[in-house]
Every structure is written in C-alpha cells, then in structure tokens.
Amino acid sequence: MLEIKDTKPDELLIFERSRPGRIGYSLPECDVPAVPAGELVPQEMLRADGLAFPEVYEVDVIRHYTALSRRNFGVDNGFYPLGSCTMKYNPKINEDVARYPGLAKIHPYQPEESLQGALELMYRLQQDLAGITGMDEVTLQPAAGAHGEWTGLMMIRAYHESRGDKRTKVIVPDSSHGTNPASASVAGFETVTLPSTARGMVDLDALRAAVGDDTAALMLTNPNTLGLFEEQIGQIADIVHAAGGLLYYDGANSNAIMGITRPGDMGFDVVHLNLHKTMSTPHGGGGPGAGPVGVKKLLAPFLPQPTVVKNESGKYAIRGSRAEGSTDRAGDGDGGTSRSIGRVKAYYGNFGILVRAYAYIRTLGPEGLRQVSENAVLNANYMMKRLAPYFEMPYPDVCKHEFVMSGSGLAKYGIRTLDVAKRLLDFGYHPPTIYFPLNVEECIMIEPTETESKETLDGFIDVMIAIAKEAETNPEILLNAPYTTPVTRLDETGAARKPVLNCACG
C-alpha cells in the first residue's frame, strides 16, 4: 500500500531538499588571481568551519521560493480586516501608471527641463493633498507615516524655538498609535498621556489640566483610534491653541473623512497622511512608502526641502537647492535665509509611490473620494451591528471606518481573544488587530475598508459568529487552533524568551 507522507513536497525546508553535489548555478571561470581569505581578513574573523549552504538544483530553488510565496497572505488573495491599518485593495491601474517609462526611468539629477512631467505631477499632488486635508503647503519627502509624524514634530519644535519659546511636552491620548509617543520622543519631547472618557473621547477636563506653557502640541487623529469621531474637536483645538500649543493630526484614519471634512477645518496645524492607508499605495513588506505632511502657513517656512513650485512662466521648478544637506530656500520672503528643518529624505521622496497616489486621486475625483469614505463607514457599522449580539461592544455608538469590540465575554468559557484569532486562520481569514488599543480589555479591532463586498463581509461575520458559538459549546477546539496552517499553535512564551534564530540543518 502506498504510504502517504505527513510532509508535502512544497512544505520541505530548503535544507531537506539538499543533496551533496547538486548545483543550481553556472559561473564563468575566475579571471583574476585567487587570494586566500586569510590574506585579506584577520584570522580571528574567519570561520572555523564552512557555511552550511543547501546544495540544490535550480528547479528546487524555484519551487521552494514559489511555495513560500503561496504562504504569504495579502489583500490580493483574501480579506484583511486589520483595524487601524486600512488594508485596502491597490488598483492595478496605479501600478501600470507607475511603470510608464517616462516616470519609471527618469533620474532626479536630470535637468529640470527634462523633468517637467514628473515635477508637474508632484506639484499637482502637493496641491491635491493640501486641498483634501485643508492645509496650505505640503511636503512629499517623508517615507512613511511615522517618518511624517517625526517631520511634523520637528517643524513644530523649530516653530517654537524660532519664537524663543521653550516647549518640551507633547500630549497624546491613551488610545493613540504607538508611533505617536515614539515619534515625540525621537523629536526630543516628553510625552503626557491623556485619558479617554467612558465614551472613548478626549477628556476635556484632563486636557485643560495637562496643557500649559510647556505644551508643544497635542497629537490626535479624528476619528480616533477607537473609530469614534471627536465631536468636541473645536473645543479641543481652542484649549491647545489658547495654551500656545499646536494641534497635530495623525492621518492614519483619513480613510473615514475624505471629501466629508478636513483636518484643517477642525483646527489642526499640521497633518501627515499614510498614502498606503488612504490613497491605496502598496502596504508593508519592507518596501518604499510615503507619509506626506501638510502644514498651515505658520509652519510653511519650516518645511523640508526641496519642494516643487510653479514659476511665473508656467514651468515647474525646484524650490531649495538639490545639494544634499542644503538649507537654501528661495521665495520665503526672508531674503533667502531659510528656517527649514532641512532635507528628511533623499531627493523628493519615494517617487513611484507618489505616482500611484496621484493616479488614485485623479481616477476617483472629489466625488469618488467621498464615496470611498462613506462606503468604509457603512461597511464598519454593518459589521459592528451584526457582531454586537456575540461580542462585547465597549463603544456601541455609531463608528466611522473601524470599530473595536472585546472578547472578554468569552472568558467564562476559558477563551481569550488570541484563541479567536488563531481559529480564524482555519477558515482562511487573516485575523483582525488584537489587543490594541491597550485601553480595551481583550480588544478586537476590525476595519473592513470600502473595497470589500457585502458577500465578503457576511462570510467573515458568519465565521466570527460560528467561532463565538464554538467557544461556548466546544472551547477545546479554539484552545488548540489553528489546525490547517503550515505552522500550528506556537509556544509564544518560549518563542519570545528562547528564539531559534539559526538553522543547523543539513
């Protein structure tokens, strides 16, 4: 009888495929004299034994990495309900546009005359983002959201210092993104944590007590990280401004408000946008990102350089020297003496990502961007209402693009939120964000985005309901899940305390 092996061919490790003497490459003979490594490298830095490379054919390498790629989960092959992350689909037309030879094969050191199309695109994107956010000027340089946070905070710091005003503290809500206090710390500020009310909003009394003549800024996103709109945002802005501080908008949740309201109209002085969250550019994977920052006029002199401008002749030009580290800036109205914080990214930012964002905005237009937000809010509220009978809802009011619920009600069956997340994997769904924000016990944070159909939402909801019922009737199933993944339930404590970071296989 044919024996069926437990391990499938595409689950083998590369070292398990290895056989002595197999070679997957062919190199020409070396045309320079060979020199022993000991003559070039100090003896104490040389290995005592050889490297344990696998010996495989080319086809084995191809099949190995193709099999690994199939294990990756992405928005192109499944629903990705990560709260706070806005894992929206990336339209392929954006990818096509970014690959146009006239955009993909240019170099920033070409003469400006030969870059007019690219410069016009960046100029228009600056204008579009300023209009969407209600800001006066925009820099496209920052490479990611947290980089944008730091850039904005450095401008806030430079603004206060230019006025001879020593301000050392940045206020952040207890539900803020972890990057907020981290960015403030890197920018040289102390952080003050602000508690939320029972409704998940900023506590105005606590804010009044926290602000003072040492307050540099309040960092906030609206809707906030709980998916709730700060109804008292006007009062919040007044309190911070009255104390001499500035209001910073974390743009992570902008997918809920595009075309409906703008941070600039709420009273914010500076905002960053996560283009991967709001403008559908690629998300994660360690590749290039973009976190443009918009500012009101009072912060415009401190913007990073260079920026793109349109001159009187209708041509597009670079404002600020191209030279790395230069702080020259023409047109500031201060005789050419700049207060810019300087360059924060090589050249003008990650141009290919900016092209994708521009294509997205121009494809949808103002009405389309508003519909994106409206659909995202509709999807989130639909899911929240359907799941409410089965999970705890600490903030049952109308949510925006995302909502938080809690698995604490399953504790009586010995089940935690982590068990729910692990069980979801068996049904082919990527789990939502769990245990964030930290101020919600056993938190489950779900963001469906606007790009998912009702059928997709219903499928996920039905599985979540089924898991909640399993917790009641057969909790053992959840405690040992997942069962269908290449790697099943890990010893998380052991993995954290005694990680295996190398492989002595072969």
Side-chain angles (χ1 to χ4, degrees), residues 162-444:
S162 74
R163 295 158 54 89
D165 201 356
K166 184 172 177 57
R167 291 177 177 263
T168 60
K169 296 181 179 178
V170 169
I171 302 171
V172 295
D174 59 5
S175 63
S176 71
H177 294 112
T179 51
N180 287 181
S183 296
S185 178
V186 173
F189 293 108
E190 302 173 42
T191 58
V192 177
T193 303
L194 197 67
S196 300
T197 66
R199 291 187 59 219
M201 307 291 186
V202 167
D203 187 322
L204 294 185
D205 291 333
L207 177 60
R208 291 187 185 97
V211 298
D213 56 11
D214 58 356
T215 300
L218 167 68
M219 297 186 78
L220 190 68
T221 187
N222 198 22
N224 64 27
T225 309
L226 300 170
L228 306 172
F229 193 84
E230 297 282 356
E231 300 164 355
Q232 298 172 306
I233 187 61
Q235 291 175 259
I236 293 170
D238 290 342
I239 293 169
V240 174
H241 288 152
L246 299 180
L247 205 57
Y248 183 96
Y249 186 88
D250 180 330
N253 295 342
S254 298
N255 209 52
I257 65 166
M258 285 189 300
I260 300 171
T261 186
R262 308 185 305 173
D265 300 333
M266 301 178 204
F268 286 90
D269 303 291
V270 56
V271 54
H272 89 263
L273 288 175
N274 301 71
L275 295 191
H276 59 276
K277 294 185 179 185
T278 311
M279 305 303 173
S280 82
T281 65
H283 193 147
V293 175
V295 297
K296 290 291 191 177
K297 287 182 179 178
L298 79 166
L299 289 173
F302 306 97
L303 280 168
Q305 301 165 0
T307 52
V308 181
V309 296
K310 187 175 183 180
N311 57 34
E312 294 178 357
S313 65
K315 296 286 188 180
Y316 296 91
I318 308 301
R319 183 172 66 181
S321 170
R322 295 185 188 216
E324 292 289 342
S326 170
T327 56
D328 294 338
R329 220 174 115 94
D332 280 339
D334 57 5
T337 301
S338 174
R339 291 176 286 171
S340 167
I341 64 170
R343 188 187 295 274
V344 299
K345 181 74 172 68
Y347 307 118
Y348 317 109
N350 287 325
F351 180 66
I353 299 299
L354 302 177
V355 172
R356 291 170 171 86
Y358 180 78
Y360 179 76
I361 293 170
R362 292 286 161 163
T363 299
L364 290 172
E367 296 81 8
L369 292 176
R370 181 185 179 102
Q371 187 176 351
V372 162
S373 294
E374 290 175 345
N375 288 357
V377 171
L378 177 63
N379 284 355
N381 279 277
Y382 174 73
M383 295 188 76
M384 183 174 71
K385 293 301 181 185
R386 279 207 59 194
L387 289 170
Y390 304 94
F391 294 88
E392 304 295 320
M393 296 291 171
Y395 306 106
D397 294 341
V398 172
C399 68
K400 296 306 173 189
H401 64 309
E402 63 189 2
F403 64 97
V404 295
M405 59 188 195
S406 173
S408 59
L410 304 178
K412 56 181 175 288
Y413 310 120
I415 297 300
R416 300 179 59 218
T417 285
L418 178 66
D419 303 317
V420 175
K422 295 293 186 182
R423 184 60 172 147
L424 270 170
L425 297 173
D426 287 327
F427 295 91
Y429 288 105
H430 193 289
T433 300
I434 61 174
Y435 300 116
F436 176 81
L438 300 177
N439 56 350
V440 175
E441 182 183 0
E442 293 295 316
C443 186
I444 302 172

